[in-house]
Amino acid sequence: MRSHLLNDTTAEHYRRSVTEGVERVAARLAATDRPFTGVTADALAPLIERIDLDQPLHDTSAVLDELEDVYLRDAVYFHHPRYLAHLNCPVVIPAVLGEAVLSAVNSSLDTWDQSAGGTLIERRLVDWTTGRIGLGPAADGVFTSGGSQSNLQALLLAREEAKTDSLAKLRIFASEVSHFSVKKSAKLLGLGQDAVVSVPVDQDKRMRTVALARELERCKAAGLVPMAVVATAGTTDFGSIDPLPEIAELCDQYGTWMHVDAAYGCGLLASVKYRHRIDGIERADSVTVDYHKSFFQPVSSSALLVRDAATLRHATYHAEYLNPRRAVEERIPNQVDKSLQTTRRFDALKLWMTLRTMGADGIGELFDEVCDLAVEGWHLLAADPRFDVVVQPSLSTLVFRYIPRTVTDPAEIDRANLYARKALFASGDAVVAGTKVNGRHYLKFTLLNPETTPADMAAVLDLIAGHAEQYLGESLDRAS
Ligand SMILES: *Cc1c(COP(=O)(O)O)cnc(C)c1O
C-alpha cells in the first residue's frame, strides 16, 4: 500500500493509521500513573540501537508496538500533575487537533501559493497578539520556532536599526537572570565578546533600573552604542518581571531599542486577573511570545511582534522562484519576507483552533490557576522549616532548597539537594528542576499544569525531603 496522502485509498489508510495512533496515545496518557518511569539512557539506548532502520515493518500496528518500547512507555509526560520541572505545558485539545490538521494538510507559510488561507490566519493571529500587547497601528510580526529564534530576530532588527560604523561598539543590556539566548544571539550577530552587559537584579530578581541607567550612561560616555535593552517579562527561573515602564523611559532617553522577552509571561496577555503585571509592554519595539509555554500549545508555537512593521524588512531577501519583487507590486501576501525561516510550519493554526474553541479567557483562566497555585506553594514552603524559598512568585515558578536541621556546611547542603533531584527523577514519582542562586544549588517547581494541586506539591516536597535526608544519613555513615 502506498503510504502517502494521495487519493481515496490513502485517505482511508490515513484515517485508520491516525485513529490507531490516537487510540494508543490516549490509552497511554490515561494509564500514566507517574510523569516518568525513571528509565536511564543506558537502559534505553540498546533498544533503540537494536532496531534495523533498513528493515521496515510495513505495518503501522507493529510500528506502534515497537514505539511503545522505545519511546511511549518511558517518555516524560508533561500532562501528569507531578511533572513540575521545566517550562513545558500540558496541551489543550483544540491545539492538538490543530496540530493533526496542519501536518496532514502540510501548508508551508512562506508564500501565498503554498498556504493561501494559512497566511491570512497567521496574520490575523499576529494582529490579535499585537492588539493584546497594545503595539499600535503599525505593528506586525511573524510566527517563529521558539523564544530563542524570536530573541535572535529581535536583536537582528535592533542591530540593523542601530547607528554605528562598527559592530564592536554595540552593547545589549539584559538582567543577570535573562535567558541565555540573548548572549547566543549576540554571538550569532557578530557582536563582540563584551556585547551583552549584565545588569544586576533586586531581591525579587527584577532588573535594577538604577543600575541600568548607570550602565547606559557609562556606555555613552565610553563612545559605545546602546543597541538594545532586553527586558524579561517572566524570567525562566523566577518568573520575575522587569519594571517595564521605567525601562521604557530609559530606552526613550537613550534612543535604544526596547525588546521585551515575554516567552514565559505572555500568558498574562490572555489573563483578566493579572494582565496589569505586564503593563508597559505596549511601549516595546519588539516582543517575544512563546505560546508553547503559557498558552498551553504544543511545541512549537511562538512569535516575534514588532511595533513598526517596516523593521521586519531587515529579514527580507528575494528569490526569483519564491518571492520575486513583482509579487510585492502585485500585493500578493507572503510571510517569508518577514521570517528567518523559509519553509515554515502552520503553527498558528493551533492557536486559532484554541481561540475559536475556548476563547482567550479560557487560556487566561488556566494560566491564572497556575499563578494562584504558585502562591499556595509559596505559603507551603514559607511555613515549612525544612525549606528555604527564594522569592514570592510573580508567575508560576518556585525556587527553593532543602535545609537540614543539623548540617550547616553549604557544600553538603548543595549535594543533598542535587541528590534529591536526581533520586526523584530516577524514581519517576515526580520531576522537578534545579538552578543556582548566589552560587548555591536550588530546586525549582515550574507550575504550568492546572491539574496540579497543593496536595501534589506537599507530597513532592515530602519526597524531596526524604531523599535529601537519606543522602545526609548515608553521608554520615560514610564519614564514620
Ligand atoms: C524559554 C525561554 C526562552 C527560549 O524559548 P524557546 O522557545 O525555548 O526557544 C527565551 N526567553 C525566556 C525568558 C524563556 O523562558
Side-chain angles (χ1 to χ4, degrees), residues 381-401:
L381 282 159
D384 190 333
R386 297 174 300 173
F387 294 99
D388 168 37
V389 56
V390 181
V391 287
Q392 276 189 272
S394 314
L395 293 174
S396 66
T397 64
L398 292 164
V399 178
F400 59 93
R401 74 195 216 127

PDB file of all heavy atoms in Angstrom, residues 381-401:
ATOM      1  N   LEU A 381       5.827  26.436  51.372  1.00  0.00           N
ATOM      2  CA  LEU A 381       7.280  26.427  51.567  1.00  0.00           C
ATOM      3  C   LEU A 381       7.702  27.368  52.691  1.00  0.00           C
ATOM      4  O   LEU A 381       8.566  27.041  53.510  1.00  0.00           O
ATOM      5  CB  LEU A 381       7.980  26.824  50.264  1.00  0.00           C
ATOM      6  CG  LEU A 381       8.068  25.716  49.218  1.00  0.00           C
ATOM      7  CD1 LEU A 381       8.287  26.289  47.829  1.00  0.00           C
ATOM      8  CD2 LEU A 381       9.198  24.750  49.556  1.00  0.00           C
ATOM      9  N   ALA A 382       7.071  28.543  52.730  1.00  0.00           N
ATOM     10  CA  ALA A 382       7.465  29.539  53.726  1.00  0.00           C
ATOM     11  C   ALA A 382       7.146  29.044  55.135  1.00  0.00           C
ATOM     12  O   ALA A 382       7.840  29.390  56.096  1.00  0.00           O
ATOM     13  CB  ALA A 382       6.772  30.862  53.434  1.00  0.00           C
ATOM     14  N   ALA A 383       6.104  28.191  55.241  1.00  0.00           N
ATOM     15  CA  ALA A 383       5.704  27.699  56.564  1.00  0.00           C
ATOM     16  C   ALA A 383       6.453  26.433  56.961  1.00  0.00           C
ATOM     17  O   ALA A 383       6.287  25.929  58.059  1.00  0.00           O
ATOM     18  CB  ALA A 383       4.200  27.429  56.564  1.00  0.00           C
ATOM     19  N   ASP A 384       7.268  25.904  56.040  1.00  0.00           N
ATOM     20  CA  ASP A 384       7.902  24.607  56.269  1.00  0.00           C
ATOM     21  C   ASP A 384       9.372  24.806  56.639  1.00  0.00           C
ATOM     22  O   ASP A 384      10.169  25.250  55.804  1.00  0.00           O
ATOM     23  CB  ASP A 384       7.779  23.768  54.980  1.00  0.00           C
ATOM     24  CG  ASP A 384       8.189  22.328  55.194  1.00  0.00           C
ATOM     25  OD1 ASP A 384       9.011  22.058  56.091  1.00  0.00           O
ATOM     26  OD2 ASP A 384       7.683  21.467  54.445  1.00  0.00           O
ATOM     27  N   PRO A 385       9.760  24.501  57.880  1.00  0.00           N
ATOM     28  CA  PRO A 385      11.142  24.757  58.322  1.00  0.00           C
ATOM     29  C   PRO A 385      12.182  23.936  57.551  1.00  0.00           C
ATOM     30  O   PRO A 385      13.370  24.232  57.612  1.00  0.00           O
ATOM     31  CB  PRO A 385      11.121  24.363  59.803  1.00  0.00           C
ATOM     32  CG  PRO A 385       9.943  23.467  59.964  1.00  0.00           C
ATOM     33  CD  PRO A 385       8.942  23.893  58.936  1.00  0.00           C
ATOM     34  N   ARG A 386      11.734  22.914  56.817  1.00  0.00           N
ATOM     35  CA  ARG A 386      12.699  22.098  56.057  1.00  0.00           C
ATOM     36  C   ARG A 386      13.200  22.806  54.799  1.00  0.00           C
ATOM     37  O   ARG A 386      14.136  22.351  54.162  1.00  0.00           O
ATOM     38  CB  ARG A 386      12.043  20.774  55.638  1.00  0.00           C
ATOM     39  CG  ARG A 386      11.616  19.880  56.789  1.00  0.00           C
ATOM     40  CD  ARG A 386      10.854  18.682  56.278  1.00  0.00           C
ATOM     41  NE  ARG A 386       9.635  19.084  55.553  1.00  0.00           N
ATOM     42  CZ  ARG A 386       8.845  18.239  54.889  1.00  0.00           C
ATOM     43  NH1 ARG A 386       9.140  16.948  54.835  1.00  0.00           N
ATOM     44  NH2 ARG A 386       7.755  18.679  54.271  1.00  0.00           N
ATOM     45  N   PHE A 387      12.532  23.917  54.424  1.00  0.00           N
ATOM     46  CA  PHE A 387      12.865  24.527  53.135  1.00  0.00           C
ATOM     47  C   PHE A 387      13.115  26.030  53.246  1.00  0.00           C
ATOM     48  O   PHE A 387      12.555  26.708  54.112  1.00  0.00           O
ATOM     49  CB  PHE A 387      11.720  24.292  52.135  1.00  0.00           C
ATOM     50  CG  PHE A 387      11.541  22.853  51.785  1.00  0.00           C
ATOM     51  CD1 PHE A 387      10.558  22.086  52.403  1.00  0.00           C
ATOM     52  CD2 PHE A 387      12.377  22.248  50.861  1.00  0.00           C
ATOM     53  CE1 PHE A 387      10.403  20.747  52.098  1.00  0.00           C
ATOM     54  CE2 PHE A 387      12.229  20.899  50.543  1.00  0.00           C
ATOM     55  CZ  PHE A 387      11.241  20.149  51.162  1.00  0.00           C
ATOM     56  N   ASP A 388      13.971  26.483  52.327  1.00  0.00           N
ATOM     57  CA  ASP A 388      14.216  27.909  52.180  1.00  0.00           C
ATOM     58  C   ASP A 388      13.701  28.279  50.786  1.00  0.00           C
ATOM     59  O   ASP A 388      14.084  27.648  49.799  1.00  0.00           O
ATOM     60  CB  ASP A 388      15.734  28.147  52.293  1.00  0.00           C
ATOM     61  CG  ASP A 388      16.130  29.541  51.870  1.00  0.00           C
ATOM     62  OD1 ASP A 388      15.363  30.474  52.154  1.00  0.00           O
ATOM     63  OD2 ASP A 388      17.204  29.684  51.241  1.00  0.00           O
ATOM     64  N   VAL A 389      12.818  29.262  50.680  1.00  0.00           N
ATOM     65  CA  VAL A 389      12.241  29.618  49.383  1.00  0.00           C
ATOM     66  C   VAL A 389      12.738  31.003  48.993  1.00  0.00           C
ATOM     67  O   VAL A 389      12.846  31.898  49.841  1.00  0.00           O
ATOM     68  CB  VAL A 389      10.688  29.513  49.407  1.00  0.00           C
ATOM     69  CG1 VAL A 389      10.071  30.352  50.500  1.00  0.00           C
ATOM     70  CG2 VAL A 389      10.088  29.858  48.061  1.00  0.00           C
ATOM     71  N   VAL A 390      13.078  31.187  47.705  1.00  0.00           N
ATOM     72  CA  VAL A 390      13.804  32.396  47.308  1.00  0.00           C
ATOM     73  C   VAL A 390      12.919  33.636  47.185  1.00  0.00           C
ATOM     74  O   VAL A 390      13.068  34.576  47.944  1.00  0.00           O
ATOM     75  CB  VAL A 390      14.603  32.165  46.005  1.00  0.00           C
ATOM     76  CG1 VAL A 390      15.365  33.421  45.617  1.00  0.00           C
ATOM     77  CG2 VAL A 390      15.604  31.030  46.202  1.00  0.00           C
ATOM     78  N   VAL A 391      12.013  33.669  46.230  1.00  0.00           N
ATOM     79  CA  VAL A 391      11.198  34.881  46.065  1.00  0.00           C
ATOM     80  C   VAL A 391       9.719  34.517  45.973  1.00  0.00           C
ATOM     81  O   VAL A 391       9.368  33.420  45.564  1.00  0.00           O
ATOM     82  CB  VAL A 391      11.555  35.686  44.779  1.00  0.00           C
ATOM     83  CG1 VAL A 391      12.875  36.397  44.951  1.00  0.00           C
ATOM     84  CG2 VAL A 391      11.537  34.815  43.550  1.00  0.00           C
ATOM     85  N   GLN A 392       8.878  35.475  46.328  1.00  0.00           N
ATOM     86  CA  GLN A 392       7.444  35.275  46.126  1.00  0.00           C
ATOM     87  C   GLN A 392       7.181  35.247  44.629  1.00  0.00           C
ATOM     88  O   GLN A 392       7.768  36.032  43.875  1.00  0.00           O
ATOM     89  CB  GLN A 392       6.658  36.398  46.785  1.00  0.00           C
ATOM     90  CG  GLN A 392       6.443  36.136  48.259  1.00  0.00           C
ATOM     91  CD  GLN A 392       5.488  37.118  48.885  1.00  0.00           C
ATOM     92  OE1 GLN A 392       5.893  38.172  49.337  1.00  0.00           O
ATOM     93  NE2 GLN A 392       4.219  36.777  48.898  1.00  0.00           N
ATOM     94  N   PRO A 393       6.327  34.349  44.173  1.00  0.00           N
ATOM     95  CA  PRO A 393       6.167  34.187  42.726  1.00  0.00           C
ATOM     96  C   PRO A 393       5.441  35.365  42.063  1.00  0.00           C
ATOM     97  O   PRO A 393       4.474  35.887  42.613  1.00  0.00           O
ATOM     98  CB  PRO A 393       5.321  32.913  42.610  1.00  0.00           C
ATOM     99  CG  PRO A 393       4.630  32.773  43.921  1.00  0.00           C
ATOM    100  CD  PRO A 393       5.516  33.399  44.947  1.00  0.00           C
ATOM    101  N   SER A 394       5.961  35.807  40.905  1.00  0.00           N
ATOM    102  CA  SER A 394       5.229  36.767  40.073  1.00  0.00           C
ATOM    103  C   SER A 394       4.422  36.018  39.027  1.00  0.00           C
ATOM    104  O   SER A 394       3.439  36.529  38.503  1.00  0.00           O
ATOM    105  CB  SER A 394       6.170  37.695  39.313  1.00  0.00           C
ATOM    106  OG  SER A 394       7.172  38.181  40.133  1.00  0.00           O
ATOM    107  N   LEU A 395       4.897  34.807  38.663  1.00  0.00           N
ATOM    108  CA  LEU A 395       4.148  33.969  37.728  1.00  0.00           C
ATOM    109  C   LEU A 395       3.933  32.611  38.392  1.00  0.00           C
ATOM    110  O   LEU A 395       3.257  32.551  39.402  1.00  0.00           O
ATOM    111  CB  LEU A 395       4.878  33.853  36.372  1.00  0.00           C
ATOM    112  CG  LEU A 395       4.969  35.145  35.558  1.00  0.00           C
ATOM    113  CD1 LEU A 395       5.831  34.944  34.320  1.00  0.00           C
ATOM    114  CD2 LEU A 395       3.590  35.643  35.131  1.00  0.00           C
ATOM    115  N   SER A 396       4.553  31.566  37.850  1.00  0.00           N
ATOM    116  CA  SER A 396       4.208  30.237  38.368  1.00  0.00           C
ATOM    117  C   SER A 396       5.423  29.366  38.667  1.00  0.00           C
ATOM    118  O   SER A 396       5.340  28.153  38.529  1.00  0.00           O
ATOM    119  CB  SER A 396       3.264  29.545  37.386  1.00  0.00           C
ATOM    120  OG  SER A 396       3.932  29.286  36.171  1.00  0.00           O
ATOM    121  N   THR A 397       6.543  29.982  39.044  1.00  0.00           N
ATOM    122  CA  THR A 397       7.678  29.153  39.463  1.00  0.00           C
ATOM    123  C   THR A 397       7.984  29.390  40.936  1.00  0.00           C
ATOM    124  O   THR A 397       7.671  30.444  41.483  1.00  0.00           O
ATOM    125  CB  THR A 397       8.972  29.464  38.676  1.00  0.00           C
ATOM    126  OG1 THR A 397       9.366  30.803  38.966  1.00  0.00           O
ATOM    127  CG2 THR A 397       8.792  29.302  37.197  1.00  0.00           C
ATOM    128  N   LEU A 398       8.607  28.385  41.542  1.00  0.00           N
ATOM    129  CA  LEU A 398       9.048  28.480  42.932  1.00  0.00           C
ATOM    130  C   LEU A 398      10.468  27.937  42.997  1.00  0.00           C
ATOM    131  O   LEU A 398      10.721  26.813  42.547  1.00  0.00           O
ATOM    132  CB  LEU A 398       8.143  27.640  43.832  1.00  0.00           C
ATOM    133  CG  LEU A 398       6.704  28.145  43.991  1.00  0.00           C
ATOM    134  CD1 LEU A 398       5.816  27.047  44.569  1.00  0.00           C
ATOM    135  CD2 LEU A 398       6.673  29.382  44.886  1.00  0.00           C
ATOM    136  N   VAL A 399      11.390  28.717  43.522  1.00  0.00           N
ATOM    137  CA  VAL A 399      12.775  28.269  43.667  1.00  0.00           C
ATOM    138  C   VAL A 399      13.054  28.134  45.160  1.00  0.00           C
ATOM    139  O   VAL A 399      12.822  29.076  45.924  1.00  0.00           O
ATOM    140  CB  VAL A 399      13.750  29.252  43.000  1.00  0.00           C
ATOM    141  CG1 VAL A 399      15.188  28.794  43.191  1.00  0.00           C
ATOM    142  CG2 VAL A 399      13.431  29.376  41.517  1.00  0.00           C
ATOM    143  N   PHE A 400      13.531  26.964  45.552  1.00  0.00           N
ATOM    144  CA  PHE A 400      13.679  26.674  46.983  1.00  0.00           C
ATOM    145  C   PHE A 400      14.773  25.637  47.171  1.00  0.00           C
ATOM    146  O   PHE A 400      15.240  25.034  46.212  1.00  0.00           O
ATOM    147  CB  PHE A 400      12.348  26.134  47.533  1.00  0.00           C
ATOM    148  CG  PHE A 400      11.885  24.876  46.840  1.00  0.00           C
ATOM    149  CD1 PHE A 400      12.217  23.625  47.350  1.00  0.00           C
ATOM    150  CD2 PHE A 400      11.161  24.937  45.660  1.00  0.00           C
ATOM    151  CE1 PHE A 400      11.828  22.454  46.691  1.00  0.00           C
ATOM    152  CE2 PHE A 400      10.762  23.776  45.005  1.00  0.00           C
ATOM    153  CZ  PHE A 400      11.097  22.544  45.520  1.00  0.00           C
ATOM    154  N   ARG A 401      15.190  25.441  48.410  1.00  0.00           N
ATOM    155  CA  ARG A 401      16.065  24.309  48.676  1.00  0.00           C
ATOM    156  C   ARG A 401      15.811  23.727  50.044  1.00  0.00           C
ATOM    157  O   ARG A 401      15.309  24.408  50.945  1.00  0.00           O
ATOM    158  CB  ARG A 401      17.528  24.666  48.494  1.00  0.00           C
ATOM    159  CG  ARG A 401      18.161  25.508  49.560  1.00  0.00           C
ATOM    160  CD  ARG A 401      19.446  26.004  48.954  1.00  0.00           C
ATOM    161  NE  ARG A 401      20.577  26.131  49.834  1.00  0.00           N
ATOM    162  CZ  ARG A 401      21.771  25.573  49.603  1.00  0.00           C
ATOM    163  NH1 ARG A 401      21.945  24.780  48.568  1.00  0.00           N
ATOM    164  NH2 ARG A 401      22.776  25.790  50.395  1.00  0.00           N
TER     165      ARG A 401
END
